Amino acid sequence: QQEAEFWEGEEGRNLLGDTFSIRNVSTYLRKCPALGAPDPDGWRGREHVLPLFLNDDTDAQERIIKHLILPYAIGDFHPSYLHEHAGGRLSAFHKKDPLDGKIRPINNSSRWRRTAAHLMNASVKKEAAVYFTEQIPNFIQTAGSVDGASVCAKLVSMIHDLPVDAEDPTIICQIDF
């Protein structure tokens, strides 16, 4: 109940309007990874969705954001349709099944989920970085580096090899936004 009230209030509406603007959505769709197997023509989910944001039809774009992307951000799904949103809806675009080569529908809804997740994370990225780097003295960030995963693995290996103090154990916490 409190969550719904927040999103309906001025602060929630402003946050959603800034975070999920047409500009932000179209920028993300232009830059996001293609993901998923292509259809028989070689198109991936992004190529099917991006053209919807490359024109001046702001009315249609606002409806897409409101009805297809925002529900993933605020959890506003009718209970009888939750299984469709969690599992995804199949679209009319088709691709070859890698196992048997037959044509099957594409599950494009993950694009909407990923768009919502990316935009929400992008909206808190700076504040989260400031919090972790300024409030936690031993915070080490490997994101954005050329090979953050390898740097992180080396740090974990190095810390693992240090002597263990039962009174003051070393704790490693990986945060993946």
Side-chain angles (χ1 to χ4, degrees):
Q1 183 68 11
Q2 285 180 331
E3 189 175 323
E5 289 175 10
F6 172 79
W7 295 121
E8 292 169 5
E10 185 177 352
E11 185 180 356
R13 284 193 317 269
N14 289 340
L15 180 63
L16 290 176
D18 294 342
T19 303
F20 294 94
S21 66
I22 292 172
R23 181 174 183 246
N24 286 349
V25 171
S26 64
T27 299
Y28 169 70
L29 291 173
R30 279 194 312 276
K31 295 179 177 183
C32 69
L35 302 172
D39 68 8
D41 296 323
W43 285 41
R44 296 177 185 266
R46 176 186 63 200
E47 285 87 13
H48 290 294
V49 175
L50 178 59
L52 300 171
F53 285 86
L54 295 178
N55 57 45
D56 295 330
D57 192 353
T58 58
D59 191 43
Q61 294 161 354
E62 288 172 356
R63 284 193 311 256
I64 290 168
I65 292 168
K66 180 179 179 182
H67 297 291
L68 298 175
I69 298 172
L70 277 182
Y72 289 105
I74 61 177
D76 185 23
F77 298 112
H78 191 277
S80 62
Y81 294 109
L82 279 176
H83 67 284
E84 291 182 21
H85 293 288
R89 295 181 181 170
L90 299 176
S91 66
F93 311 118
H94 290 83
K95 66 179 176 185
K96 284 190 178 184
D97 188 304
L99 299 176
D100 61 15
K102 294 180 180 177
I103 301 295
R104 65 180 178 85
I106 291 177
N107 182 351
N108 229 357
S109 65
S110 66
R111 176 56 54 207
W112 308 127
R113 281 194 303 269
R114 289 175 190 272
T115 302
H118 173 84
L119 294 175
M120 287 186 300
N121 287 333
S123 74
V124 298
K125 183 174 160 179
K126 289 179 185 174
E127 291 84 2
V130 166
Y131 171 78
F132 285 113
T133 56
E134 293 180 5
Q135 301 297 320
I136 302 173
N138 61 355
F139 179 78
I140 301 170
Q141 179 176 337
T142 59
S145 60
V146 175
D147 191 9
S150 294
V151 172
C152 187
K154 288 176 186 174
L155 289 169
V156 169
S157 178
M158 180 187 74
I159 292 169
H160 179 270
D161 295 339
L162 294 174
V164 177
D165 180 359
E167 297 296 317
D168 185 21
T170 301
I171 298 172
I172 301 169
C173 211
Q174 177 183 344
I175 302 171
D176 187 1
F177 287 99

